[in-house]
Amino acid sequence: MDLVPALEEPLKKVLGPATAKVMAEHLGLHSVGDLLHHYPRRYEERGQLTHLADLPLDEHVTVVAQVADARLHSFASAKAPRGKGQRLEVTITDGSGRLQLVFFGSGVHKPHKELLPGTRAMFAGKVSLFNRRLQLAHPAYELLRGDAEESVETWAGALIPIYPATAKLESWKIGKAIQTVLPSAQEALDPLPESLREGRGLVTLPEALLKIHRPHTKADIADAHARLKWDEAFVLQVALARRRHADAQLPAVPRKPAPDGLLTAFDDRLPFTLTDGQQKVSKEIFDDLATDHPMHRLLQGEVGSGKTMVALRAMLAVVDAGGQAAMLAPTEVLAQQHHRSIVEMMGELAEGGMLGGAEHATKVVLLTGSMGTAARRQAMLDLVTGEAGIVIGTHALIEDKVQFQDLGLVVVDEQHRFGVEQRDALRGKGKQPPHLLVMTATPIPRTVAMTVFGDLETSVLDQLPAGRSPIASHVVPAADKPHFLSRAWERVREEVENGHQAYVVCPRIGDEEDDPKKAKKSPEDEAEKRPPLAVLEIADQLTKGPLRGLRVEVLHGRMHPDDKDAVMRRFAAGETHVLVATTVIEVGVNVPNATAMVIMDADRFGVSQLHQLRGRVGRGSAAGLCLLVTEMPEASPARQRLNAVASTLDGFELSRIDLEQRREGDVLGQAQSGARTSLRVLAVIEDEEIIAEAREEATAVVEADPELTGLPGLRTALDALLDEEREQYLEKG
């Protein structure tokens, strides 16, 4: 008896080594089960044609069309000097457009015999441009005869599945391979508990696999999709629910602030009252800190909603309770900024152990990779003795040498820049697992939060603190209306004359051009024939031109950390009028007097990045202004994106627009660690209800049976999704 279950059978045994090799290398498919889960991208109907008019350039496509005419030309060339070179030109049509196919040399004989006018076939190849017309050179093709035995069998049913394919393996070859392994689908173990499947009226897994690969009607496809979406949502949510369940079993030291300690002293000296949102979220956090298992909370808040204040109060509560708190920031600029603003907010409460320090004071230390040895040694000493209650640092905090006396809380700022491994490495520094608070200013739609951060409870800060001003945003079409750009620089001057400051943001630094390998151009650059605007060039043009006489400085990631810090200090102190920078200022930089921002080549930034950048202005009482400069034409998708950013300040609305414009894959990154488990049929925004329901079902299943002993099919699906270690590290890319 064959001991390998049918779905684990390696493809090379079933399909032959050559095909299996291409599938493994180019599509990441290794077993029969992998291939069965390689779903069609779309379906062509026999009588319906693809739109040739909409073909994308430079992409590998599969089209179904009819031959309109075929002509054989002779020509002379180096290889065939006597005019014996042959070129076959075939025109195919689908009613919406026409497409030229070309075949050369000895490759013309077979298509010349087979591709006669009126013949229908599937064609696959890379779309290129020749003499301003789209063409496919040497496409692979499969005739749709519908008479020979094999064709009738293979193309049975009116719907032809079109698979995600590669240049090395056409869609119909994948289709044939799938037909070969389809009988094994009967042995697929069903991961859904039967009660759940029947209660929701879903078809069985074998039936779903059959219907998605060989549908007879559109209803078959819908049934299969409904079922397979549930699989993806449910298995992923079970993995996250198990992680939450395991975390809930861990012990942690409850941290309750002393009644009249550091936190009370801090609150008493605040010059303003907290917003209702801040108070509500703080209560959720304090309730979590008081329990004897570790808090795992995601705090998401609009740019400028006061997350740092909420995090600081949580850190003070832990220090009050005798523990230490660490804040992990993604960049040195941000770590220094947080350190500076926290020390300012705390005043003498941050001067523990020093003359003039208040009675409940503690020490706040900074730890980054570029600090001098002496300062670094002192900071590490303060941590190990417990002298420092709060430490703010970059990933230098994670290094083995860094020891804490009693780490009680880890705050991670801008989570999307840290993986779970880094979070866990820092958490491993506590005697018992510390509490964890993760902050992000990139608003995440609820479903994505449930999918990517499903092991964290979520708190949302959606109110702006009093005294924050609205930000007006406008698109400046520099190519269509150059005078708009001149006006933009006048507006910057006006802001400076009124005693304010401005940022100018560029996509590039500008000193990397000497290395030709680095200056690789993207297709957009090629199309525009110019590289993205650079900080050094723009700063130079502005000081000599429209901003002559103003104090302009530059800031970018390749400057020495001390220089960066000095530039930021001068800007914060108001000595610099205009800061020309890369996106190093994207997160956390806080200069309330800066009221204007001009973003050059704004179309080169993503929606959430623009929203982040814009949040750097309007942080004081004066209104903010953000100008999005672009040369993209009115009708382009890039312009629509910018119009969306200009039209709303609601980050959640923008992140939704962003998600709809990009594919989920970009948003989830490596959320399910590894390509083969990324979402195939589940769409994070459209399938919001399925994800929410799957989370509830998964939580209930795991509560009832954490080891899933009664659900072997679900265990198998989980193992496929994550190996043992992967469950520990559901990678948050």
Side-chain angles (χ1 to χ4, degrees), residues 410-422:
V410 174
V411 178
V412 180
D413 192 20
E414 287 309 317
Q415 161 62 26
H416 57 283
R417 316 222 176 166
F418 293 101
V420 167
E421 285 95 337
Q422 291 169 304

Side-chain angles (χ1 to χ4, degrees), residues 196-208:
L196 188 157
R197 187 177 64 71
E198 288 174 352
R200 298 191 176 270
L202 299 168
V203 299
T204 63
L205 183 55
E207 194 182 334

Side-chain angles (χ1 to χ4, degrees), residues 286-417:
F286 290 155
D287 289 350
D288 281 0
L289 288 174
T291 60
D292 55 10
H293 56 85
M295 161 169 86
H296 288 103
R297 193 166 278 283
L298 171 69
L299 170 57
Q300 44 170 338
E302 273 294 5
V303 178
S305 57
K307 291 182 300 297
T308 313
M309 173 59 72
V310 170
L312 175 56
R313 294 184 70 244
M315 294 198 287
L316 295 173
V318 169
V319 174
D320 252 357
Q324 290 168 294
M327 184 182 226
L328 190 57
T331 63
E332 295 208 344
V333 168
L334 195 52
Q336 287 162 342
Q337 173 98 23
H338 275 317
H339 180 253
R340 218 171 20 243
S341 62
I342 283 174
V343 168
E344 274 167 24
M345 286 198 267
M346 287 176 61
E348 72 265 24
L349 296 174
E351 295 171 1
M354 298 182 222
L355 280 171
E359 90 178 272
H360 298 295
T362 184
K363 206 167 182 184
V364 181
V365 301
L366 176 68
L367 189 60
T368 64
S370 65
M371 282 167 68
T373 320
R376 210 182 146 83
R377 194 174 291 134
Q378 183 59 51
M380 285 164 69
L381 187 67
D382 287 342
L383 288 179
V384 86
T385 59
E387 185 84 8
I390 295 178
V391 59
I392 293 139
T394 52
H395 44 91
L397 281 177
I398 299 170
E399 290 170 13
D400 293 343
K401 297 195 284 286
V402 180
Q403 300 291 326
F404 290 83
Q405 192 193 22
D406 178 15
L407 181 60
L409 169 67
V410 174
V411 178
V412 180
D413 192 20
E414 287 309 317
Q415 161 62 26
H416 57 283
R417 316 222 176 166

Side-chain angles (χ1 to χ4, degrees), residues 88-104:
L88 175 67
E89 288 182 4
V90 179
T91 307
I92 58 172
T93 175
D94 66 353
S96 79
R98 297 167 88 80
L99 182 64
Q100 191 91 23
L101 314 177
V102 286
F103 300 88
F104 294 101

Side-chain angles (χ1 to χ4, degrees), residues 496-573:
V496 172
E497 279 158 18
N498 290 331
H500 297 302
Q501 293 159 277
Y503 297 101
V504 176
V505 182
C506 303
R508 208 163 54 88
I509 296 173
D511 55 3
E512 59 280 282
E513 287 310 297
D514 32 299
D515 182 351
K517 286 203 290 294
K518 271 197 186 158
K520 292 248 329 226
K521 300 231 182 340
S522 69
E524 290 97 326
D525 295 345
E526 287 297 349
E528 292 182 22
K529 290 289 179 277
R530 73 162 177 78
L533 293 171
V535 166
L536 302 175
E537 296 154 18
I538 291 289
D540 193 44
Q541 288 168 22
L542 292 176
T543 31
K544 291 176 180 160
L547 303 184
R548 197 184 298 106
L550 300 186
R551 287 192 296 279
V552 178
E553 289 209 63
V554 299
L555 179 69
H556 58 76
R558 282 212 294 278
M559 289 164 60
H560 187 277
D562 292 349
D563 298 341
K564 276 194 257 187
D565 198 40
V567 169
M568 271 318 299
R569 278 176 192 277
R570 285 196 292 275
F571 189 65

